[in-house]
């Protein structure tokens, strides 16, 4: 196994990854390696609306038998029952919109991959083999049911915090997205209790906030010291 | 990358594989390796109706930039636009019915894998991420349209041929399936023209037949000499 190419995209830090692939802000370009006939192998791919991309979770080198899902409060799950990166073989599988093929460059839509992710394979998405829209999804169905019922939180910023994110739209959007859904401590959301307050980490940023019933007040946003 | 386990199933020869995964006659059992906590990693998988199985095309060790699809007459296609086994990284991807989990054994439904196929990963099928039933499928849509219009052939057996397959239901079914759809020469169906007749290979079996308008007459079925 060796990569056929690498993804180029603006997402460089894990905190920039969307909670769901379809909520991503950026597309990307899969750049295949030169001199291997991959341009020939890409023929006829245009015309497919979506492609499967098989890739390597290159930022993970260990695995765990159980995993805490990033959303909701369903508790730890067996890793093979999740899409967690921490797998015995850290293979990623994403169904991406195919935008265009241009020589060795495959332009894709919204995705949940980091810049420089090694790509192992591209396959066409064929609904006859791949689409089972009414398939039951066990604990994941239960999670979606819970989330659709759970309260959403209103998120406010102190003046200091608002100034800190004033020219960082993307960071601000991420803070609001995560905290409005569920601001309570969680390892994979990187939220901890901190005295009587809370702290969330996003890359090198630290977000300090309080919770009062259904309100979250962001008090301070600063770089890690 | 190393296998997490291996598939056990009755399909031992490539010709026993179904033209489509959902037409398979047999299910199988993925037997995961012992002593690695994989039993814990399988927790919570029951409740999902389907799973993704990522596996290794262990009978292939080369790749080709283009591939002739096994059905229809659409001509060679770029390999990344197909599900061909002859890929730079021969990774297989199949969406299988999950029947039951029993310790380290994962029972699955109809599939298109051979016995002893190495398994790399199991992921839950989550319709929200995976199901796009109306996605366009380029040349594959065109193929299905052609096949729905193409003539089907009536298949008859000579007395000699009928006796040869009398206690080989599976071989007989395969012969009828392939020849009734399209009996003309094709590399991946392993049909060649042979004098004024035709010969198809299925594992060690050789099937000799003639074509007259929309009729196929199987004259002889014998083991390779």
């Amino acid at each position: 196994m060796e990569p056929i190419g690498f993804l180029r995209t603006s997402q460089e830090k894990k905190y920039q990854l969307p909670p769901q692939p379809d909520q991503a802000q950026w597309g990307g370009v899969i750049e295949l390696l030169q001199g291997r006939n991959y341009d020939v192998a890409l023929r006829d791919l245009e015309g497919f609306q979506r492609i499967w991309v098989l890739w390597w979770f290159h930022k993970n080198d260990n695995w765990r038998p159980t995993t805490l899902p990033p959303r909701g409060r369903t508790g730890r799950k067996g890793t093979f029952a999740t899409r967690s990166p921490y797998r015995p073989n850290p293979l990623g599988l994403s169904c991406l919109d195919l935008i265009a093929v241009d020589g060795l460059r495959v332009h894709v839509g919204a995705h949940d991959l980091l810049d420089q992710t090694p790509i192992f394979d591209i396959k066409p998405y064929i609904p006859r083999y791949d689409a089972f829209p009414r398939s039951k999804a066990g604990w994941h169905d239960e999670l979606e049911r819970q989330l659709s019922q759970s309260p959403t939180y209103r998120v406010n910023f102190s003046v200091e915090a608002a100034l800190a994110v004033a020219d960082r739209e993307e960071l601000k959007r991420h803070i609001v997205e995560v905290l409005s859904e569920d601001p309570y401590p969680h390892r994979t959301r990187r939220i901890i209790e901190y005295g009587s307050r809370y702290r969330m980490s996003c890359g090198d940023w630290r977000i300090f906030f309080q919770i009062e019933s259904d309100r979250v007040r962001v008090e301070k946003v600063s770089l890690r010291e």
Side-chain angles (χ1 to χ4, degrees), chain A:
Chain A
M1 291 268 293
E2 54 179 74
I4 57 170
F6 296 87
L7 185 75
R8 292 288 184 87
T9 183
S10 307
Q11 288 168 183
E12 294 176 357
K13 300 276 185 187
K14 285 190 193 178
Y15 83 88
Q16 295 178 315
L17 292 178
Q20 305 300 325
D22 57 354
Q23 293 167 8
Q25 306 294 322
W26 297 280
V29 182
I30 299 171
E31 296 188 345
L32 298 189
L33 302 180
Q34 297 187 326
R36 306 189 179 198
N37 280 327
Y38 291 160
D39 47 337
V40 178
L42 285 175
R43 276 183 204 160
D44 311 295
L45 191 61
E46 275 183 317
F48 288 88
Q49 195 172 336
R50 289 177 172 271
I51 53 175
W52 287 114
V53 178
L54 276 73
W55 47 281
W56 194 250
F57 287 105
H58 64 302
K59 296 289 189 187
N60 296 298
D61 43 23
N62 59 340
W63 84 282
R64 307 184 192 110
T66 62
T67 298
L68 191 61
R71 302 183 307 151
R73 294 171 200 164
T74 60
R76 302 190 73 82
K77 301 296 172 200
T79 294
F80 289 137
T82 76
R83 299 291 193 104
S84 161
Y86 302 99
R87 325 182 71 77
N89 292 305
L91 286 168
L93 174 66
S94 297
C95 182
L96 305 185
D97 268 318
L98 174 63
I99 309 294
V101 178
D102 160 26
L104 286 166
R105 296 160 59 88
V106 180
H107 298 257
V108 297
H111 62 85
D112 53 346
L113 282 65
L114 290 173
D115 188 44
Q116 298 301 339
T117 293
I119 307 298
F120 284 140
D121 201 6
I122 293 172
K123 298 177 194 284
Y125 186 93
I126 302 177
R128 177 169 175 178
Y129 306 156
D130 300 327
F132 303 95
R134 284 172 297 281
S135 206
K136 291 202 188 78
W139 69 263
H140 206 271
D141 286 339
E142 171 61 17
L143 168 68
E144 294 294 341
R145 199 187 58 74
Q146 276 181 23
L147 288 178
S148 69
Q149 294 176 342
S150 70
T152 48
Y153 295 80
R154 281 183 301 146
V155 179
N156 298 310
F157 288 74
S158 72
V159 173
E160 182 190 345
L163 289 172
V165 296
D167 56 353
R168 298 188 174 88
E169 264 308 308
E170 168 199 315
L171 179 62
K172 185 178 178 185
R173 182 167 40 222
H174 178 74
I175 293 170
V176 172
E177 270 176 13
V178 172
L179 298 185
S180 64
E181 187 175 274
D182 182 355
Y184 283 96
H186 194 285
R187 188 181 52 75
T188 63
R189 286 192 305 264
R190 301 179 70 203
I191 298 174
I192 59 169
E193 199 157 350
Y194 183 77
S196 62
R197 296 184 161 80
Y198 300 90
R199 192 191 77 187
M200 176 167 70
S201 299
C202 301
D204 288 338
W205 292 95
R206 300 292 176 266
I207 295 92
F208 300 86
F209 59 94
Q210 287 186 289
I211 308 172
E212 259 177 59
S213 70
D214 66 344
R215 284 185 56 214
V216 173
R217 181 163 177 84
V218 179
E219 297 182 319
K220 187 177 162 192
V221 175
S222 61
L223 281 167
R224 180 175 59 182
E225 276 154 23

